[in-house]
Amino acid sequence: MLRDDLRGMLAIARKDLRAYYLKPPNISWGILLPFAFVLAFVLRNPGEMRDLVPGLLGLTLLFGTSSMEAIVIVFESRIGSLERLLLAPVSLPGILAGKILGGMAFGLTVTVAVLAIALVVFGLQPVNGALLVMATLLSSATFASLGAFVSVAVREVFEAQTLANAVRFPMAFLGGVFLPLDSLPPGLVVVARLLPLTYSVEALRAALLGPVTIQS
C-alpha cells in the first residue's frame, strides 16, 4: 500500500509538472513577479539591494509554490479528472501529497533560478548552506500546502485565485520582505508573527547574510 502511494505521488507530481507548471508563461511569471515587487520597492526607496535578496527568495517560494497549486485541484475537480485520480490505487492523502510535491518542485525550480541570478549579480556567498537548503525545502512544503488548502476550500477557480491572493499579499507586505518588523506598529508585528513567510525570510536572511536579531 505504501509502495503504491509513493509511486502514485510521484506520478501525480510528474503529471502536474508537465500539464500545468512547466510552461513558459508560468516559469517567467514565477521568476519575474518577485523581481517586480522588489524593483518597485527599490525605485521608491533606493538602498542596499543585497539586503532584499532573502525577501526576494521568500516571495519566489511563496508565489512559485502556491500560485498554480491553489487552482489545480479546483480545475481538475471541475473537468472531472480528479474523480479518475480518486479511483486510482492511491490513498487520498497520497493524492494530496502528490499535488503538494508538484507545487514544491516547481517552486524550488524557479527559486534556484532566482538564487543563481542573485549570487552572480550581487556576489553573495551563503553563510550557512545547510540552513539555506533546510529553509528552502521547509518553506516550499509550507507554501505548497497552503496552496492545496486554498484549493480544497473553494469550488471555483476564480474563488481559489481570490482567496490565495487574500492570503499571499498581506504576507508579502508584513512578512519582513521589504521592511524590518521593528518598523511596524506593535499590532502588525503580532500579525506578522502569525505568518509563515516571516520565519522563511528570517531563516533565509540568516543563511545568506549571517545571524540576525529576531524582533518580537
Side-chain angles (χ1 to χ4, degrees), residues 152-200:
V152 300
V154 297
R155 294 181 178 273
E156 301 290 343
V157 170
F158 75 89
E159 293 175 338
Q161 293 171 328
T162 301
L163 181 57
N165 288 332
V167 174
R168 288 186 305 219
F169 281 99
M171 280 203 284
F173 291 103
L174 296 177
V177 174
F178 305 111
L179 298 172
L181 264 60
D182 57 2
S183 68
L184 300 175
L188 290 182
V189 173
V190 174
V191 175
R193 282 293 164 207
L194 300 175
L195 305 176
L197 181 62
T198 301
Y199 301 97
S200 295

